[in-house]
Amino acid sequence: MDRSNYNKRGGGRNTGGGRGDYGRGGGGRGNWNQQQPQQYGNQEQQQYGRGRGGGGGRGRESGGQHGQHTYQAPAANPNAWNRVASGHPVGSQAPPANPSAWNRVASGHPVGSQAPTANPSAWNRVASSQPVGSQAPTANPSAWNRVASGRPVGSQASSGHSQTLNPNRHDLQVQEISNRMPSLSVTDHSKGGLVPIKRPDRGTLAMRPVKLLVNHFPVKFNPSSSILRYDVDVKQESDQEASSSTRQLKKAIPKSSLRQIQEKLCLDYPDKFPLKQLGYDGEKNIFSAIVLQAGTYKVEFFGRSYSCTIKFGNELNLSKLDDFVRANASQVPRDVLQALEVATKANLYREKVSVGRGMYPREHRKEDDLHCGVAAYRGSQQSLKFTSNGLIMCTDYSVMPFRKRIDVLDFLIEHIREVQSVDDINRYKNKVMAALKGLKVSVTHRRTKQKYTVIGLTDKLTKDISFEMEDIEGEKKPHMVMLTDYFKEKWGKEIVHKRIPCLKVGNEKKPNFVPMEFCFLAEDRRFPKENLGKEAARKLKELSLLAPENRRRQILNMVHDEYAPGRHGQKCQYNLLRGKFVTAKPLQRWGLIDFTRGHRDWINLDDFIPKLKNRCTNLGVIMEEPLYVHETNMRDLSNVNAVSRLLNWFVEECRKEDKGRLQMIICVMPERHDGYKIIKHVSELEIGVMTQCCLSQNANKSNNDQFLANLGLKINAKLDGSNVELVERFPHFNANDHFMFIGADVNHPAAMNKSSPSIAAVVGSVNWPAATRYAARVTKQAHRKEEIVNFGSLCLDLIKKYVEVNKVKPNNIIVFRDGVSDDQFEMVLNKEMVDMKQAIYTEQYRPFVTFVVAQKRHTTRLFLDNKNEVGNVPPGTVVDTNIVHPTNFDFYLCSHFGGMGTSKPTHYSVIWDENKFSSDEMQKMIYDLCYTFARCTKPVSLVPPVYYADLVAYRGRMFQEVEMMETYGSGSSSSRSVSGSGSVSGSGLFGQYVYNLDQNLKDSMFFI
C-alpha cells in the first residue's frame, strides 16, 4: 500500500491538522464537520508511531492482529538477562522458534537473598513480540475522513458509559442523568478506604515490536526468614547544671549525626550490635538479622554524651513479600519492603554520601573536577519495587555536584572569579562571606575530627585580632592575647596570611576565630546546580546526559561494584520554520523594556524588533509597532518597589499612546536575575499586564530564527491563541462527550527551609474539544503538605470557567496528579477525589471521573536491545507488561524524542476510572496529549496538564519568594493583592490563601 497516497493532506488556512515525522502544526483551526482530511499548513504529513513496543498508531498502515501474552519460557540460564515478552499472535500458544529471543523469567515463584543477583548482567529484557495491533485505524479511506472531521469511528465510541446530552437545551445545565451514572456517591467514598483500580486489560495497539532492556535487577530472598525491627531513641545528655529551659532549646540531632552515633554505638558494643548485621534508617528504626539486647547505652561522640535507648519493635516476615508476589495479598507490605531496602543499602550508607535516593562516593574522579571549588561525583539511585516479575532493585546512574574537600583558601581562589590570590580576599569580603557561610570546616593545626559551622568573617584582620584568654585552672587572671601569638605559643603554628579576616565558627554568642589557612571544607555538601558557572554547568550536563549505551555500561559497573557477591514509534515533531499557528491572536498594543543598557551583552533593538515582528507575522501573529520602548539597566530590578514603580510608569506611558488595554510587555535582560521573579509578581498580581522575558545573548545570535519562533509560541499562547490542535479526536470519547483535563501538582520548599508554605496548583482545559487552552489556580498551604487542601473548590472554579467558554458542563473529567508516591495513592482517592466530588456534585450533575498519577521521579530506564538500532527508544514507546505492577493499571510511556542523554519514561498509574478506559485508549490519549504542549514543537515527556500544573506551582513559589523579599528585604508595598508569606494553615476557607491574579490574566495561560 502506497502511504504517500493518503499521508499528504491538503493545505490551506481553514483546514484540519496532520501530524508526522517532521510536521505537525501550521494552518488554520479547521472545520470539525469537514469530510475531507486536511493539514495544518502546507507540510507533507508522515506516518508517526506510538504504541505497544513501538510506535503505532496514527499511520494508516498500522493495522494488524492483536497480541497476547501467552508464553513465558523458564530460565534456561540463570545468568542470562531477564527477557520480558509481550506475547505472540492470537492463537499461537507455542514458544517462538528461537526461545533465547524471548522472556527468560523464573516461572511462578518469586525472583528474588537479601541483595540483587551477583550477576550484574541480569537485566530485564522487555520485548514486544506481537504483530501490529488490530486497534489501529482501518484502511478504509472513509474512516480517515471521519477521524479528520472529528466524528466517532466505529467501536471507539464510549457512549456505553457516558452521560447523555439533551440537544434541545441551551442553558448551562444540559446534562441529564443516565442509567450509567457513577455508582458510588460522595458519602460512599468517605465511609470506606478507596484503593487503586486493577488493570482492565493489556494494551495491543502497536506499529511494530521492539526488544528492550530495562535497569531492573532481580532480588532474591528467603520467604521463611524475617527481619527484626527495633525502636531507637537517641538523646543528647544535658549538663546537670543546665536549666530546664536550656535543655528544651537544644536542637534536634541532624540525620547525618544520628548515623555516626549509631556506628559509634556498634564500635563501642561490637558483641551486642554487630555493625554488618544491622541496618539503620537514620531516624527511629534499626533493622537486624539477629536478636539485639534492649536497654539504654551511652555513646561519646565529639566530646558530647548521648543516650541510645533500644526497644524491640516487631518481627517482619519476608513471607509477606512472597504472598504479594504470588497474588495472595492485595496490599504491598510496605513495612517489610522498607526493612529490606534499608538492609540492602546499609553498607552503602557507611561508605558513601547519601542525597535523597542517591548514593555518591566520597572521592571524585580527577577528570570530573569542575574547577570552581566543585566537582562532579558519579553515583547511583536505587529503589526496591514490585513488578510482574517479582521483587527487583531498580538502579540508575546519577551525577551530583559537591564542594570539594579542599583547603578554604584554595576553594575561594577556585570558586570566586575575582579572587585571584589570597590578597584579594579582603577586597571581596562580601562574596567570600556568601561562599562560606553555613559550610562546615575542620582544622589542621590540631588533631581532631570535629566539624565547625562557619557563621561569618571577623571584622578585623588576623594580625589585629586579640581575645581574652582565661586560665582553666584559675592560677592566672584573664588577660588579652593576640591571635597570632596564641597560635605560635599554643600550637607552634606561624600564621602566614595575616592581612585577611579569620573565620568565625561555632555559635554567635561565643564564636571561635580560626585563620583560614588552617581550615578545610569537611562536609560533603551538595552544590546547587543553578549556581554553577557556564563552563562548569556545561561539563556537568555532559557527564549527566550519557548516551544510552554509555549509561547502560555505567549502571552495570555500579551494580557489579556495589553488589558483586515495550513498544515504540517514530520521531515526531512539527517545524515552525514553514508552518503557522492554528489560531493566531494579534498583538496590537505592546511595549518593550530593555534592561541591557551598559552591559556587555546589550541588545540592538533596531535589529531585534523588526526580526521579532517578521517572525511572528510569518506564524500568523500580526504584531504592530511597540507603543513605547524604554532603555534602562538591571538596577531597576533591585527590589520590589523599584520594579512596581517602573512597570506602573511604563503602563501609563503606553496608555498615552493608545487608550486600549496594554496586552504585553516584552522585557529583555542581559542575564538570569532574581528581578525576573519580581517582574512576574508585579505584572501578574498588581498591574494585570502579561510579560514575556528573554535573554539578550539569545536574541543577539546571528542564526536566531528558532529562538524567535519559540518566543512566538509563548506570545501566542499568552494571548489565548492556539499553537497546535490534533487532527483526530482523542480516543474513547464520542462527539457528545464534553471532556475536561485537569492537572494538579504541589511545589514544596527546599529541604533546608523549615517554615515556608507549600504551593498547590491546579489547571484545567477550557476549550473543547481541542483541549489546548488551560486556566490555572494557585494557592498556598501548610509547610510540606502534599494533600491539596482546597482541591474541590479549585476544580469547581475551573469547571465554571469551562462552562463560561463552552456553555456546557463537562461530563467526563480526567485528572492528572503529579508529585505523589505509591503510598500516597489512597490519600489522593480518599481525600482529594472525595473533596472534588463533594464540591462539584449536584442532583443533576455527576460527571464520570478518572484519576491518573504521573511520576517522573523514578529510576527505571529503557534501552534498545537491537544491534541495528542505536540511541534512545523512540517517542511512542510504551511498556505495560512484566516490569509494571502485578495487578494495578500502570504503564511506562516514553513520549518524547531524547536528543541528549538517556530518555526517562514517565510512569502513569490509573488509580480510579469511571470512564472505563481500555489500556490502548488511555495510553493513546496520553500520548496524543503530549503533542499539544503550547511552547514546544515536539511531543513532551510529561502529559501537558501535569506539565502546566508544575509551571503554575513554580510561579506560585516565585510569588512567595518575592513576598519574602518584601517582608525581610526592601520593605513592603501596601498595594499588594496577596497575603503575607511564611507558614500557613491549610484549614482556612477557600480563597484565604489563593493568589488572586488580575482579572485580565486570571484565566489566561500567563504561566507558559
Side-chain angles (χ1 to χ4, degrees), residues 129-144:
S129 57
Q130 76 276 16
V132 181
S134 62
Q135 295 296 322
T138 175
N140 180 358
S142 63
W144 282 89

Side-chain angles (χ1 to χ4, degrees), residues 37 64 161 224 281 366 389 514 808 816 860 900:
H161 347 277
S224 63
D281 68 353
K366 185 177 180 180
N389 282 345
V514 186
V808 65
F816 293 95
T860 295
M900 297 179 64

Side-chain angles (χ1 to χ4, degrees), residues 201-236:
D201 57 8
R202 297 288 182 182
T204 59
L205 183 62
M207 185 175 183
R208 66 183 177 93
V210 62
K211 293 180 181 179
L212 301 173
L213 303 174
V214 65
N215 57 338
H216 288 185
F217 299 86
V219 176
K220 298 178 181 179
F221 60 90
N222 184 354
S224 63
S225 299
S226 60
I227 297 175
L228 303 178
R229 186 188 68 83
Y230 290 83
D231 296 317
V232 56
D233 185 22
V234 181
K235 292 183 179 178
Q236 182 179 343

Side-chain angles (χ1 to χ4, degrees), residues 113-120 215 217 341 343-354 357-363 365 377-383 393-399 553-565 859:
S113 102
Q114 294 176 0
T117 176
N119 179 10
N215 57 338
F217 299 86
E341 185 151 11
T344 58
K345 294 183 179 180
N347 287 330
L348 297 181
Y349 277 120
R350 289 188 283 270
E351 298 170 1
K352 299 193 174 187
V353 180
S354 171
R357 290 186 177 179
M359 298 287 183
Y360 303 90
R362 298 190 182 277
E363 297 293 334
R365 300 182 186 182
Y377 289 68
R378 306 189 193 198
S380 63
Q381 290 186 335
Q382 302 174 351
S383 62
M393 171 75 80
C394 184
T395 303
D396 191 27
Y397 166 81
S398 177
V399 177
R553 192 180 304 113
Q554 288 283 351
I555 293 172
L556 283 172
N557 292 337
M558 288 186 301
V559 173
H560 182 273
D561 292 342
E562 294 173 358
Y563 293 103
T859 52

Side-chain angles (χ1 to χ4, degrees), residues 9 16-17 31-38 142-151 153 726-729:
R9 302 183 186 176
N31 188 339
W32 285 100
N33 294 319
Q34 200 167 343
Q35 294 293 321
Q36 177 64 32
Q38 297 179 352
S142 63
W144 282 89
N145 289 338
R146 291 198 297 273
V147 171
S149 62
R151 285 152 49 185
V153 182
L726 299 176
V727 181
E728 304 170 7
R729 279 189 183 274

